[in-house]
Amino acid sequence: VPDHIARAARIVTMRHPNAFDVVAYRKRVLRVEPKTLGGLAVLSDEDESNVDWDWLGEGKLLFSDQYAGANWSTEQDNINYAASGFFAQIELIDDSMQLQKTDIVYVMPGGGAAIAYEITNIPSTIGIPGYTRKYEIQKRDDLLYVPEFVK
Protein backbone atom coordinates (compact mmCIF):
# COMPACT_ATOMS: atom_id res chain seq x y z
CA VAL A 1 0.00 0.00 0.00
CA PRO A 2 2.69 2.60 0.87
CA ASP A 3 4.46 2.00 -2.45
CA HIS A 4 1.26 2.73 -4.37
CA ILE A 5 0.53 5.84 -2.30
CA ALA A 6 4.09 7.09 -2.86
CA ARG A 7 3.85 6.41 -6.60
CA ALA A 8 0.50 8.22 -6.82
CA ALA A 9 1.89 11.20 -4.85
CA ARG A 10 4.88 11.36 -7.21
CA ILE A 11 2.66 11.36 -10.30
CA VAL A 12 0.39 14.06 -8.87
CA THR A 13 3.36 16.24 -7.81
CA MET A 14 5.15 15.94 -11.14
CA ARG A 15 2.02 16.67 -13.22
CA HIS A 16 0.05 19.10 -11.06
CA PRO A 17 -0.56 22.50 -12.71
CA ASN A 18 0.26 24.31 -9.43
CA ALA A 19 3.59 22.54 -8.90
CA PHE A 20 6.72 24.72 -8.98
CA ASP A 21 10.01 23.85 -10.64
CA VAL A 22 12.75 23.31 -8.05
CA VAL A 23 16.46 22.66 -7.79
CA ALA A 24 17.78 20.84 -4.71
CA TYR A 25 21.17 21.10 -2.99
CA ARG A 26 22.85 19.37 -0.04
CA LYS A 27 25.37 21.11 2.23
CA ARG A 28 28.80 19.48 2.47
CA VAL A 29 31.19 20.55 5.24
CA LEU A 30 34.72 21.14 3.90
CA ARG A 31 36.52 20.90 7.25
CA VAL A 32 38.69 17.78 7.57
CA GLU A 33 37.13 16.76 10.90
CA PRO A 34 33.52 17.95 10.61
CA LYS A 35 32.48 16.47 13.98
CA THR A 36 34.83 18.62 16.06
CA LEU A 37 35.63 22.30 16.41
CA GLY A 38 39.20 22.58 17.64
CA GLY A 39 38.87 19.14 19.23
CA LEU A 40 35.57 20.07 20.89
CA ALA A 41 32.66 17.96 19.69
CA VAL A 42 29.83 19.81 17.95
CA LEU A 43 26.22 18.73 17.61
CA SER A 44 25.57 19.80 14.03
CA ASP A 45 27.06 21.68 11.10
CA GLU A 46 24.29 24.29 11.12
CA ASP A 47 26.61 27.24 11.82
CA GLU A 48 29.54 25.91 9.80
CA SER A 49 30.94 28.58 7.47
CA ASN A 50 33.33 26.40 5.43
CA VAL A 51 30.80 24.53 3.27
CA ASP A 52 30.05 23.69 -0.33
CA TRP A 53 26.72 22.82 -1.92
CA ASP A 54 26.23 19.59 -3.87
CA TRP A 55 23.63 19.67 -6.63
CA LEU A 56 21.01 16.93 -6.12
CA GLY A 57 18.86 17.59 -9.16
CA GLU A 58 15.76 19.25 -10.53
CA GLY A 59 12.20 18.40 -9.67
CA LYS A 60 8.77 19.68 -8.69
CA LEU A 61 7.31 21.00 -5.44
CA LEU A 62 3.63 21.12 -4.59
CA PHE A 63 2.60 22.96 -1.43
CA SER A 64 0.24 20.64 0.43
CA ASP A 65 -0.99 22.91 3.24
CA GLN A 66 -4.35 24.53 3.15
CA TYR A 67 -4.01 28.21 2.36
CA ALA A 68 -3.89 30.33 5.49
CA GLY A 69 -3.29 34.00 6.00
CA ALA A 70 -0.18 35.45 7.58
CA ASN A 71 0.99 38.65 9.23
CA TRP A 72 1.36 41.95 7.41
CA SER A 73 4.90 43.23 7.05
CA THR A 74 5.98 46.34 8.97
CA GLU A 75 5.49 48.46 5.83
CA GLN A 76 2.05 46.85 5.30
CA ASP A 77 2.78 46.30 1.63
CA ASN A 78 2.95 42.49 1.66
CA ILE A 79 2.29 39.38 3.71
CA ASN A 80 5.18 37.90 5.72
CA TYR A 81 5.21 34.09 5.76
CA ALA A 82 8.73 33.84 7.22
CA ALA A 83 7.63 32.86 10.74
CA SER A 84 5.83 29.66 9.81
CA GLY A 85 6.77 26.44 8.06
CA PHE A 86 4.95 24.76 5.21
CA PHE A 87 4.26 21.20 4.18
CA ALA A 88 5.05 20.20 0.62
CA GLN A 89 5.34 17.21 -1.66
CA ILE A 90 8.75 17.34 -3.36
CA GLU A 91 9.80 14.97 -6.11
CA LEU A 92 13.12 15.03 -7.90
CA ILE A 93 13.20 13.96 -11.55
CA ASP A 94 15.86 11.40 -10.63
CA ASP A 95 13.80 9.33 -8.19
CA SER A 96 16.89 7.46 -6.98
CA MET A 97 17.92 10.60 -5.02
CA GLN A 98 16.33 10.91 -1.57
CA LEU A 99 16.01 14.33 0.08
CA GLN A 100 17.15 14.67 3.70
CA LYS A 101 16.77 17.12 6.57
CA THR A 102 18.76 20.34 6.02
CA ASP A 103 18.70 19.95 2.22
CA ILE A 104 17.93 23.22 0.44
CA VAL A 105 15.25 23.39 -2.24
CA TYR A 106 15.09 26.45 -4.49
CA VAL A 107 11.58 27.17 -5.80
CA MET A 108 11.65 28.86 -9.21
CA PRO A 109 8.51 31.01 -9.49
CA GLY A 110 9.72 32.72 -12.68
CA GLY A 111 11.61 35.83 -13.72
CA GLY A 112 14.92 34.30 -12.64
CA ALA A 113 14.08 34.50 -8.92
CA ALA A 114 14.86 31.56 -6.64
CA ILE A 115 13.20 31.25 -3.21
CA ALA A 116 15.15 28.99 -0.84
CA TYR A 117 13.48 26.56 1.55
CA GLU A 118 15.22 24.24 4.00
CA ILE A 119 13.78 20.83 4.78
CA THR A 120 13.32 20.85 8.56
CA ASN A 121 11.30 17.66 9.08
CA ILE A 122 10.20 14.64 7.07
CA PRO A 123 6.96 13.18 8.46
CA SER A 124 5.21 10.19 6.97
CA THR A 125 1.69 10.60 5.66
CA ILE A 126 0.69 7.06 6.75
CA GLY A 127 1.61 4.70 9.60
CA ILE A 128 2.08 1.53 7.56
CA PRO A 129 5.67 0.24 7.20
CA GLY A 130 7.20 1.20 3.93
CA TYR A 131 5.91 4.66 4.77
CA THR A 132 5.59 7.70 2.58
CA ARG A 133 7.25 11.08 2.76
CA LYS A 134 6.18 14.67 2.80
CA TYR A 135 8.42 17.53 3.75
CA GLU A 136 8.14 20.30 6.29
CA ILE A 137 10.02 23.25 4.87
CA GLN A 138 11.08 26.62 6.26
CA LYS A 139 11.91 29.65 4.16
CA ARG A 140 15.60 30.67 4.18
CA ASP A 141 15.74 34.39 3.42
CA ASP A 142 19.54 34.37 3.76
CA LEU A 143 19.74 32.21 0.61
CA LEU A 144 17.15 34.14 -1.45
CA TYR A 145 18.20 34.97 -5.03
CA VAL A 146 16.55 37.79 -6.97
CA PRO A 147 18.49 38.83 -10.11
CA GLU A 148 17.55 42.52 -9.81
CA PHE A 149 19.29 42.68 -6.39
CA VAL A 150 22.53 41.05 -7.56
CA LYS A 151 25.16 43.46 -8.91
Side-chain angles (χ1 to χ4, degrees), residues 62-79:
L62 180 63
F63 290 105
S64 56
D65 277 343
Q66 291 181 340
Y67 178 77
N71 297 323
W72 281 98
S73 67
T74 305
E75 296 80 19
Q76 295 192 0
D77 59 356
N78 65 14
I79 300 291

Side-chain angles (χ1 to χ4, degrees), residues 21-39:
D21 291 330
V22 297
V23 178
Y25 293 90
R26 181 166 294 147
K27 182 168 49 172
R28 181 170 37 94
V29 176
L30 298 177
R31 231 177 337 118
V32 178
E33 294 192 27
K35 298 293 181 199
T36 65
L37 181 62

Side-chain angles (χ1 to χ4, degrees), residues 12 24 29-30 42 57 73 84 99-101 110 113 115 122 126 131 136-137 142 144:
V12 167
V29 176
L30 298 177
V42 294
S73 67
S84 61
L99 293 171
Q100 301 173 1
K101 282 185 183 179
I115 303 169
I122 307 173
I126 61 172
Y131 307 108
E136 187 173 351
I137 57 177
D142 58 323
L144 178 68

Side-chain angles (χ1 to χ4, degrees), residues 13-14 19-22 58-62 89-92:
T13 303
M14 296 300 277
F20 289 94
D21 291 330
V22 297
E58 299 175 355
K60 294 281 190 175
L61 177 143
L62 180 63
Q89 294 295 133
I90 306 170
E91 295 290 341
L92 297 179

